[in-house]
């Protein structure tokens, strides 16, 4: 039995991680990493051994609390820890792993994932299975844990990760420490290293930071000028921002797509043009802090819950900022989807198609169909209840359907099922005579 059929070679159901403490030393010029991962876990089954995902790095020493007889062995994907005696379900255990090597991305069906060298620095993009390229972990989205991350790097570089940061200088090198007290999926943990300037951004109740190469400063400041209004709009629509801060990193290299991390978003130099060309992408990544990061998926087949909401947030922001209405965008995207093959089921698209654009757009259309059916007030009340009730948890489509049934009734639940469980694209419900508009930019504070 696999933990997640979309990533059958990742994860171990026999335990759940409570906390990762990662101490890493990294040298940019030689791409050399050495680290110690101290992992506090709780057994979910009686077991004589467990496995951590670890790719491209070599474990040199493993210690298990209270077990001097423990041993380990490693292959190209897994670090297997064998206990001296069977460990009982419910027991908490601490495992420490010393490891080192030259980290590099792993090849997957979704492309290269994980720790990747830039021209001058480092990018970590892990969704869905790249986290093991830089630390041993239980790499499944359902196993959220808290983190302490300590990285020592060359002094001319800035290190960025999620959570509260402190830094100190020791023997000519800089040690960065990040505390992430909010349960976080492994794929959402990140490290970004570069020669970055650091701009503070007032996001109301949320401190904001923009990290970017100095030569991109004007373009970055122009393109992210609307971020405070965007944050206020989404807080109004989705509920309180779920983290203590929001950070944005713009790398000096071009990236194929932006990506989200816990309390962060990462963009390439090609995503900042100084004239707002990536406005919808900025909205999309910010929305992931509610949908995907705070309310996460328990299994990859339900990724529409992440991407559908984030895509719908693009449409809400377009309307709130004076662009096309969410309804007109929904109608246009529905028309486009009708011209595409209907061989994908939203609630289980298959591993190869889980990042297909149809998952994003049909997911957003599912939400708009629900909004048209139950009305604006009830829809946004539903969304805020979703982000509040399931904050910090990992959910499935069944959780979504259950909340729809509870708050909107069986007819609305049946409607959602036609959108997520059937191949054929349903028609959009009629919009009626009322204008479909409920989200506006909140006044500046």
């Amino acid at each position: 039995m696999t933990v997640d059929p979309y990533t059958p070679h990742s994860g171990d159901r026999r335990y759940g991680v409570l906390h990762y403490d990662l101490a890493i030393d990294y040298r940019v010029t030689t791409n050399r990493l050495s680290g110690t991962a101290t992992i506090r876990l709780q057994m979910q089954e009686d077991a004589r051994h467990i496995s951590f995902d670890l790719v491209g790095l070599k474990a040199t020493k493993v210690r298990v609390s209270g077990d001097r007889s423990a041993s380990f062995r490693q292959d190209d994907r897994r670090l297997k820890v064998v206990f001296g005696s069977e460990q009982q379900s419910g027991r908490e255990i601490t495992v420490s792993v010393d490891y080192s090597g030259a980290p590099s991305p792993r090849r997957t069906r979704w492309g290269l994932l994980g720790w990747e060298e830039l021209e001058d620095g480092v990018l970590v993009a892990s969704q869905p299975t790249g986290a093991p390229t830089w630390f041993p972990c239980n790499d499944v989205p359902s196993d959220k844990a808290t983190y302490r991350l300590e990285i020592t790097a060359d002094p001319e570089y800035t290190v960025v990760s999620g959570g509260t940061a402190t830094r100190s200088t020791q023997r000519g090198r800089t040690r960065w420490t990040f505390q992430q007290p909010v349960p976080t999926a492994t794929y959402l943990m990140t490290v970004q290293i570069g020669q970055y300037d650091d701009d503070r951004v007032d996001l109301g109740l949320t401190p904001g930071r923009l990290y970017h190469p100095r030569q991109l400063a004007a373009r970055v400041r122009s393109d992210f000028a609307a971020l405070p209004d965007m944050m206020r709009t989404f807080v109004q629509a989705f509920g309180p921002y779920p983290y203590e801060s929001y950070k944005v990193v713009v790398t000096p290299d071009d990236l194929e797509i932006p990506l989200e991390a816990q309390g962060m978003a990462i963009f390439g130099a090609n995503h900042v043009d100084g004239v707002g060309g990536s406005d919808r992408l900025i909205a999309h990544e910010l929305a992931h802090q509610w949908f995907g990061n705070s309310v996460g998926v328990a299994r990859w087949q339900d990724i529409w819950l992440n991407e559908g909401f984030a895509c719908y947030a693009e449409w809400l922001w377009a309307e709130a900022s004076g662009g096309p209405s969410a309804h007109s965008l929904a109608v246009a995207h529905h028309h486009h989807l009708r011209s595409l093959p209907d061989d994908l089921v939203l609630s289980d698209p298959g591993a190869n198609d889980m990042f297909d654009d149809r998952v994003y757009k049909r997911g957003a259309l599912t939400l708009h169909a629900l909004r048209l059916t139950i009305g604006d007030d009830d829809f946004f009340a539903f969304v805020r209840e979703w982000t509040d009730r399931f904050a910090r948890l990992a959910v499935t489509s069944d959780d979504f359907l259950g909340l729809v049934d509870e708050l909107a009734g069986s007819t609305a639940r049946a409607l959602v099922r036609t959108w997520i469980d059937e191949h054929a694209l349903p028609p959009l419900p009629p919009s009626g005579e009322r204008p479909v508009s409920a989200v506006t930019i909140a006044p500046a504070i």
Side-chain angles (χ1 to χ4, degrees):
M1 177 182 175
T2 60
V3 176
D4 192 317
Y6 281 27
T7 57
H9 302 297
S10 298
D12 188 337
R13 69 179 186 276
R14 288 167 290 201
Y15 68 93
V17 177
L18 303 173
H19 181 74
Y20 292 93
D21 193 302
L22 307 176
I24 293 171
D25 189 286
Y26 181 70
R27 297 184 180 272
V28 174
T29 54
T30 59
N31 188 39
R32 183 71 184 179
L33 181 151
S34 61
T36 298
T38 304
I39 305 167
R40 183 162 56 89
L41 58 88
Q42 184 173 50
M43 300 298 297
Q44 302 297 313
E45 300 179 7
D46 296 348
R48 183 65 188 271
H49 61 84
I50 59 174
S51 293
F52 298 106
D53 299 296
L54 186 62
V55 177
L57 299 169
K58 182 176 177 58
T60 55
K61 186 176 183 179
V62 175
R63 300 169 298 283
V64 178
S65 58
D67 187 353
R68 294 187 176 184
S69 299
S71 60
F72 72 96
R73 57 181 179 268
Q74 184 176 6
D75 61 24
D76 60 343
R77 289 195 302 257
R78 298 285 187 112
L79 172 64
K80 184 176 182 179
V81 179
V82 182
F83 303 124
S85 60
E86 184 175 76
Q87 301 297 317
Q88 303 302 306
S89 177
R91 182 175 181 183
E92 290 190 15
I93 298 170
T94 299
V95 180
S96 295
V97 180
D98 295 342
Y99 63 104
S100 61
S104 62
R106 68 186 303 186
R107 295 186 181 277
T108 74
R109 69 175 78 192
W110 306 284
L112 295 175
L113 299 175
W115 189 286
E116 184 172 356
E117 291 181 90
L118 300 173
E119 285 295 322
D120 186 24
V122 168
L123 162 79
V124 173
S126 292
Q127 189 179 19
T129 60
T133 63
W134 65 285
F135 69 102
C137 58
N138 194 29
D139 195 26
V140 287
S142 58
D143 195 6
K144 293 186 172 188
T146 58
Y147 290 77
R148 177 183 179 273
L149 172 60
E150 177 186 286
I151 298 186
T152 302
D154 307 294
E156 63 268 33
Y157 291 93
T158 297
V159 178
V160 190
S161 189
T164 304
T166 59
R167 66 177 175 176
S168 60
T169 301
Q170 297 183 350
R171 283 175 259 180
R173 307 192 75 224
T174 303
R175 176 172 295 173
W176 303 77
T177 303
F178 302 89
Q179 302 282 353
Q180 183 54 269
V182 178
T184 300
T186 50
Y187 83 92
L188 290 170
M189 284 300 295
T190 193
V191 176
Q192 309 293 322
I193 303 176
Q195 299 196 45
Y196 294 133
D197 280 1
D198 174 6
D199 291 350
R200 296 179 183 271
V201 183
D202 182 2
L203 300 179
L205 298 176
T206 303
R209 307 290 279 271
L210 298 176
Y211 298 90
H212 54 83
R214 181 162 298 173
Q215 65 271 23
L216 297 180
R219 284 155 55 183
V220 169
R221 290 165 186 163
S222 175
D223 285 355
F224 286 88
L227 193 60
D229 284 339
M230 196 178 288
M231 177 68 82
R232 285 189 286 271
T233 298
F234 288 173
V235 167
Q236 177 190 346
F238 308 145
Y241 179 74
Y243 304 113
E244 82 292 331
S245 65
Y246 185 60
K247 305 173 187 178
V248 172
V249 175
V250 179
T251 73
D253 296 41
D254 288 353
L255 302 180
E256 183 178 354
I257 57 172
L259 58 137
E260 73 272 17
Q262 194 83 330
M264 288 179 58
I266 299 94
F267 296 81
N270 54 310
H271 297 129
V272 290
D273 57 13
V275 293
S278 293
D279 211 36
R280 73 171 188 86
L281 299 177
I282 294 170
H284 185 104
E285 302 308 329
L286 176 58
H288 269 311
Q289 304 308 318
W290 287 266
F291 309 108
N293 296 16
S294 178
V295 183
V297 291
R299 56 194 188 189
W300 287 117
Q301 75 177 67
D302 294 311
I303 195 171
W304 78 272
L305 290 167
N306 295 3
E307 302 301 349
F309 269 110
C311 183
Y312 198 57
E314 298 176 26
W315 303 352
L316 295 176
W317 171 245
E319 178 175 313
S321 58
S325 70
H327 185 63
S328 66
L329 289 168
V331 170
H333 284 292
H334 187 272
H335 180 75
H336 178 65
L337 282 185
R338 286 167 53 194
S339 68
L340 301 178
D342 56 4
D343 56 356
L344 181 148
V345 173
L346 191 59
S347 60
D348 193 2
N352 287 336
D353 289 332
M354 71 185 210
F355 297 115
D356 190 294
D357 192 55
R358 290 173 293 172
V359 172
Y360 293 53
K361 299 304 189 293
R362 184 159 172 166
L365 286 169
T366 300
L367 298 171
H368 193 66
L370 177 62
R371 180 182 175 187
L372 291 174
T373 300
I374 67 177
D376 287 354
D377 290 345
D378 287 345
F379 174 78
F380 286 104
F382 168 86
V383 172
R384 289 187 287 270
E385 180 65 21
W386 176 251
T387 61
D388 180 60
R389 185 180 303 190
F390 296 102
R392 306 187 177 193
L393 301 179
V395 298
T396 67
S397 292
D398 287 339
D399 294 312
F400 185 85
L401 289 166
L403 190 62
V404 170
D405 193 35
E406 176 187 335
L407 298 185
S410 58
T411 299
R413 177 190 174 104
L415 172 118
V416 172
R417 288 187 67 93
T418 65
W419 281 86
I420 70 172
D421 291 338
E422 297 179 10
H423 285 90
L425 181 69
L428 280 171
S431 61
E433 297 302 319
R434 62 179 177 78
V436 181
S437 178
V439 180
T440 57
I441 296 177
I445 56 175

